[in-house]
Amino acid sequence: MQENDYARKIKTYIVSMPSLPTTVAKVMEICNNPKTSPTDLDRVISLDPVLMGKVLKLINSAYYGFQNQVTSLVRAIIMLGVNTVKNLALNTAVLDKLSDKSGFRALNMEGFWRHSLCTGVVAKLIARKRGVDAQHLDEYFAAGLLHDIGKVPLNNILSNEYIRAMSLADRERIALYLAEKRTIDMDHAEAGSMIADAWHLDGPIADSIKYHHSLDVYEGPNEIIVMAVAAADYYANREGIGFSGCLYPEKLDPGIYEKLGISKTWLEEIDSLVSTEIEKASVFLNIK
Ligand SMILES: [Fe+2]
Ligand SMILES: [Fe+2]
């Protein structure tokens, strides 16, 4: 198969993927308006009982750790903030579309999502360490959780080529995204960027999907969050938490630690915290 046939195949697949539910698109849209109130958001989410049920289930999970059960959505939005609930709704919808086990052929699905959870959790821990306000912590989590979604179409429709890319990466001890480029002529950041465009995702989540392997060319307002995702991704790969198909991640530029205000030692010391947080966050994968 010609290399550009691969790109065409991926594009066709992404275009034909079911879009995010209208409610979620609407949630994203109204939350872009800084004047949106908890009642506005409540009104939109309440239109979709399935989404509302999932959102309430997550809010009452160990991930948020509230003492008492929260049964009113508007109350939950007041407690967590509009931005947090927006990210929660988005995660739910994306995972709903992409966490189908049957499509996974080359990469192991459990391993892949554990890698994604770990990246989300560590990105959030970095944000917390930086003193990011509660409203924006889950943006780091969502960006980390979704950073590798471009691997889903590569893995699902070009499974044989993807297995070849993974073995090339192992054989030559290079990062998987470089092996993807050589095997398929497209890497998962590009494929992810097509998904982000198709689903009208923007802001830090889309930027993290697109640039987590090419920080040096990123120019935009979300540098810190993209860097946090890249550092968290590196951590997950190096510690072997989950499996992203990448055994030889590129070393992080020391300038990144400096800009993030974290040290390598700090990253080495968070191990036990990371596993507790992953257990709490795993509710996101079991929400169906
Ligand atoms: Fe990646
Ligand atoms: Fe990754």
Side-chain angles (χ1 to χ4, degrees):
M1 198 188 286
Q2 286 296 305
E3 278 178 351
N4 43 5
D5 284 344
Y6 293 142
R8 205 171 310 131
K9 239 182 144 179
I10 304 260
K11 257 179 221 151
T12 319
Y13 175 83
I14 291 174
V15 171
S16 69
M17 273 187 338
S19 57
L20 294 181
T22 358
T23 344
V24 175
K26 190 92 190 117
V27 167
M28 305 288 289
E29 191 192 316
I30 68 155
C31 290
N32 279 338
N33 179 351
K35 288 194 185 120
T36 293
S37 72
T39 338
D40 299 330
L41 183 55
D42 171 65
R43 209 173 298 135
V44 175
I45 296 182
S46 306
L47 293 173
D48 183 340
V50 178
L51 178 67
M52 173 148 153
K54 288 178 179 170
V55 167
L56 279 173
K57 192 171 167 191
L58 283 170
I59 287 168
N60 286 302
S61 73
Y63 181 77
Y64 291 106
F66 289 123
Q67 296 282 316
N68 301 313
Q69 187 161 8
V70 185
T71 46
S72 136
L73 183 60
V74 80
R75 172 130 186 78
I77 302 169
I78 294 168
M79 287 159 79
L80 291 170
V82 166
N83 204 40
T84 301
V85 176
K86 172 193 92 175
N87 285 311
L88 204 156
L90 177 68
N91 285 338
T92 315
V94 173
L95 293 176
D96 224 30
K97 298 286 176 224
L98 293 181
S99 65
D100 180 11
K101 272 193 180 113
S102 59
F104 275 74
R105 293 188 187 93
L107 263 179
N108 160 289
M109 130 103 190
E110 313 276 340
F112 172 76
W113 285 113
R114 196 165 174 84
H115 165 78
S116 305
L117 271 186
C118 178
T119 308
V121 158
V122 174
K124 188 172 167 179
L125 288 173
I126 295 174
R128 203 179 278 155
K129 168 108 170 77
R130 291 180 52 80
V132 168
D133 63 292
Q135 272 272 347
H136 290 95
L137 285 178
D138 267 2
E139 205 131 71
Y140 283 74
F141 176 70
L145 180 64
L146 305 178
H147 78 286
D148 272 344
I149 52 169
K151 286 182 183 171
V152 175
L154 296 184
N155 178 60
N156 289 9
I157 50 159
L158 296 174
S159 313
N160 293 334
E161 291 79 2
Y162 212 55
I163 292 171
R164 283 213 322 265
M166 287 199 276
S167 28
L168 176 66
D170 292 352
R171 217 169 43 240
E172 298 203 5
R173 299 174 169 243
I174 54 172
L176 178 60
Y177 83 96
L178 295 171
E180 288 166 357
K181 270 198 180 145
R182 278 168 51 186
T183 315
I184 311 173
D185 199 29
M186 176 188 279
D187 64 26
H188 63 272
E190 290 169 67
S193 143
M194 284 185 209
I195 301 181
D197 291 345
W199 287 352
H200 308 290
L201 304 180
D202 54 11
I205 296 172
D207 286 356
S208 301
I209 294 171
K210 294 179 193 180
Y211 294 101
H212 68 277
H213 291 298
S214 53
L215 282 163
D216 47 329
V217 298
Y218 180 69
E219 282 173 12
N222 303 308
E223 195 186 26
I224 291 294
I225 197 161
V226 182
M227 278 182 181
V229 169
D233 178 42
Y234 181 71
Y235 173 92
N237 282 323
R238 204 205 46 200
E239 297 294 307
I241 302 177
F243 183 60
S244 73
C246 186
L247 293 175
Y248 301 98
E250 284 177 332
K251 280 214 167 61
L252 282 188
D253 184 297
I256 293 180
Y257 294 106
E258 212 173 290
K259 277 199 183 161
L260 286 174
I262 55 167
S263 63
K264 278 188 190 164
T265 354
W266 178 79
L267 269 184
E268 280 155 16
E269 283 163 0
I270 56 172
D271 287 10
S272 63
L273 193 55
V274 171
S275 40
T276 338
E277 292 295 315
I278 291 179
E279 286 329 307
K280 286 190 205 160
S282 59
V283 62
F284 280 89
L285 298 185
N286 305 323
I287 196 68
K288 275 193 178 177

